[in-house]
Amino acid sequence: MCLRNISNMAALFSLFLLTSACNGALDISPIGKADPSPSPTSTPSPGPSASPSPLPPSAGWQETLESVFDHAETFDQLQDWTPGGQWYSASGCPTCASNATLPKKLDGSPSMWGIWNNKGLSFQYTPENGVFAIGDVITGSVSGTTATVRQVWNLDGKSYIQLTNTNAVQGTVNFTAGEMITSGAKTGLNLQWPLFIADHGPAYTWAGGGKSLVMDLGDNDNTNPSTPTMAGLGAQRMGTYFGDGVSGKSGYKKAHIFFMMKVAPTFFTMTDGSYDYVSVVKAFDLVSGFTDISTWGTPADRAMADPDAANYYRLDEYGLNMSVFNFGGGGASYPNNLFFTENIYDASLTGASLYTYTQRISSRKVRTGTTMDLQSYISSGEWFGVECASDIGTAGNNDGTTDFWIYDKNGVEKGHYSLTGERRLTYFDHYYNKMVLGGNRRSTSGATGSLDSRWWIDDLIIHGSRIGPTYFERLSGRGD
């Protein structure tokens, strides 16, 4: 994200501070007031003051956020990034070839991102002669590579060909950027793989400049080749690790995750003016006990995981104690509402006296009345802010908590959800130290074809205490 002046922001914040005290139903905290410092068991953090002093105008936005929060990603300091013609279907794979194509900073050093996932391939092209159609076999003039067209997408004045593939295959498609592609008399030019991190244009970068991350959850039960689910125009998953690399009890006992988000208005399909039922559309997860991005636990921990459990193959993706946040809503029960839902899993004993994980909470609605609902932001294509705070609690006790805030594009807190007394740890005294954006999409959403099913992420922050008020206060006082 590159900052632009935000008009009337100071007036908005002044008005918000004046009225928030009367709005107790939303449990709104005043802008500029940071939560208490994290407990001594959390990762130490700078602990923003109630009235932080603005940095000099010459300081970059990435540096501003890094000076206040533990981990910050504006994407502006990263190289434009695409995995190219490479895709794979495992999200926690330490040996996957995808690891060689992780995003890097402008100076070539590693970024905070440790895994990505993609379950489909699409490339951008410029039509030259004729119109490519489903079923056409295309050939690259330089690479000699051939593939079958699964769908042609036209978005934002750009054309894309989605290739036919199956989720059972992992590997690389060797089309070369810039080559001509042909199918009989049909031709196209200027082939290039879509950029997942880049300046996607003013509408798709927060505050109108810099870079952002585009997500495309191309994982759907839809197998109809004539109406495929869009895939390959963004990352299906993007994950980061924030532990010490040694112990599963590193990271945060209580972790705050914040990001700005924009969802394509057509991501969630509608029938007769009502949202179709949203089955599984994963937004992000927060997991614990990892010693690196793709390894759960120490050797001693891993020796206690049951290798015969049905979900053992997911050990290095989710671990044994986690929270997963999905989108929910639509259907007969919520035809006009979209919101987040929470799923909680924790470790449990198997018959072999070893451990697997069991779902403790299923699709609990993250709602306080309708103040946490998202349909107004999504239908209008507006950016909105998301902050989740999860306290993993202590092993064997009902002392875990969830807090969730939604902010509008002006930084006004629109709703607050809070729940206490949760059992999040029965076994393994671990902390949260891995977060993954995106994931599975098994839903009617996007299954009818010809829909833009992308969303965009900017200014992602991980910290040990409340983020939103301080973030928007810094934002309101900044400009280029």
Side-chain angles (χ1 to χ4, degrees):
M1 170 196 161
C2 179
L3 265 292
R4 299 287 182 267
N5 289 322
I6 300 180
S7 62
N8 298 322
M9 184 63 102
L12 281 170
F13 275 88
S14 297
L15 178 62
F16 180 61
L17 289 171
L18 182 63
T19 59
S20 61
C22 301
N23 204 355
L26 299 186
D27 190 16
I28 296 175
S29 301
I31 294 290
K33 296 290 186 180
D35 280 357
S37 299
S39 65
T41 54
S42 299
T43 297
S45 66
S49 61
S51 302
S53 301
L55 294 180
S58 59
W61 183 235
Q62 177 71 33
E63 289 75 12
T64 298
L65 296 183
E66 288 177 347
S67 73
V68 178
F69 302 112
D70 297 341
H71 308 278
E73 177 63 271
T74 65
F75 301 99
D76 299 345
Q77 85 286 4
L78 302 186
Q79 300 173 10
D80 287 357
W81 176 69
T82 174
Q86 185 180 127
W87 72 290
Y88 76 115
S89 58
S91 62
C93 178
T95 60
C96 284
S98 59
N99 292 352
T101 56
L102 290 167
K104 294 181 174 58
K105 295 182 180 180
L106 294 173
D107 63 6
S109 61
S111 70
M112 68 184 288
W113 301 105
I115 55 171
W116 62 269
N117 191 1
N118 192 19
K119 290 191 177 179
L121 285 177
S122 297
F123 58 69
Q124 183 185 341
Y125 78 103
T126 302
E128 185 187 52
N129 182 62
V131 178
F132 291 108
I134 296 169
D136 285 348
V137 176
I138 57 174
T139 302
S141 62
V142 175
S143 66
T145 300
T146 61
T148 302
V149 175
R150 190 177 184 198
Q151 184 61 286
V152 177
W153 305 99
N154 295 287
L155 302 168
D156 301 326
K158 299 177 181 178
S159 298
Y160 302 89
I161 286 177
Q162 183 172 336
L163 305 178
T164 297
N165 50 41
T166 66
N167 284 350
V169 177
Q170 302 180 93
T172 301
V173 175
N174 294 317
F175 284 106
T176 302
E179 69 181 340
M180 179 178 291
I181 51 173
T182 61
S183 179
K186 300 175 183 178
T187 61
L189 293 171
N190 299 331
L191 171 69
Q192 65 183 62
W193 297 105
L195 294 169
F196 293 3
I197 294 175
D199 179 352
H200 297 294
Y204 304 115
T205 47
W206 169 229
K211 298 181 182 182
S212 62
L213 165 70
V214 60
M215 307 287 294
D216 178 2
L217 273 64
D219 174 21
N220 193 284
D221 289 339
N222 165 36
T223 57
N224 186 342
S226 66
T227 59
T229 303
M230 190 172 77
L233 275 69
Q236 189 207 28
R237 283 179 172 91
M238 289 291 291
T240 184
Y241 172 72
F242 42 92
D244 64 5
V246 177
S247 168
K249 194 171 183 177
S250 64
Y252 299 89
K253 178 179 177 294
K254 184 176 183 179
H256 284 247
I257 307 293
F258 173 95
F259 49 85
M260 296 300 298
M261 186 178 206
K262 174 189 172 81
V263 181
T266 57
F267 190 99
F268 297 95
T269 58
M270 303 185 78
T271 301
D272 298 328
S274 298
Y275 285 106
D276 297 329
Y277 172 66
V278 180
S279 174
V280 176
V281 180
K282 195 166 101 179
F284 66 98
D285 60 51
L286 188 58
V287 300
S288 64
F290 280 72
T291 52
D292 65 46
I293 188 69
S294 295
T295 305
W296 177 81
T298 63
D301 293 332
R302 295 176 68 83
M304 291 188 285
D306 189 348
D308 295 322
N311 51 23
Y312 180 78
Y313 74 101
R314 292 180 169 176
L315 182 67
D316 289 330
E317 179 179 358
Y318 293 118
L320 296 182
N321 295 285
M322 75 212 78
S323 289
V324 178
F325 293 90
N326 294 343
F327 284 102
S333 298
Y334 301 96
N336 302 308
N337 306 95
L338 298 170
F339 42 81
F340 288 112
T341 65
E342 182 178 18
N343 302 270
I344 298 175
Y345 302 77
D346 72 348
S348 60
L349 275 170
T350 68
S353 297
L354 296 169
Y355 297 92
T356 184
Y357 65 76
T358 300
Q359 188 166 21
R360 182 175 291 277
I361 298 294
S362 176
S363 299
R364 180 169 55 204
K365 294 177 284 296
V366 179
R367 300 185 85 203
T368 303
T370 59
T371 62
M372 300 290 292
D373 287 1
L374 308 172
Q375 65 274 356
S376 63
Y377 313 111
I378 294 173
S379 63
S380 62
E382 289 185 356
W383 286 89
F384 59 97
V386 176
E387 182 171 0
C388 172
S390 186
D391 190 327
I392 202 168
T394 54
N397 296 313
N398 297 330
D399 55 357
T401 67
T402 298
D403 281 275
F404 219 103
W405 296 267
I406 298 296
Y407 308 90
D408 70 12
K409 64 183 179 180
N410 296 313
V412 177
E413 183 185 298
K414 304 301 290 186
H416 175 209
Y417 167 90
S418 183
L419 192 66
T420 61
E422 288 287 293
R423 173 72 66 87
R424 295 181 180 275
L425 282 178
T426 303
Y427 305 101
F428 299 101
D429 187 13
H430 287 159
Y431 287 169
Y432 291 123
N433 56 18
K434 174 182 172 181
M435 189 275 296
V436 178
L437 291 167
N440 295 329
R441 184 184 73 199
R442 296 187 178 95
S443 175
T444 58
S445 172
T448 57
S450 302
L451 296 173
D452 187 348
S453 55
R454 298 174 292 176
W455 72 54
W456 294 262
I457 298 290
D458 210 340
D459 283 5
L460 183 140
I461 299 168
I462 302 168
H463 196 55
S465 60
R466 185 79 182 272
I467 297 169
T470 300
Y471 169 83
F472 284 110
E473 184 177 14
R474 290 296 179 110
L475 183 68
S476 68
R478 299 277 306 173
D480 287 341

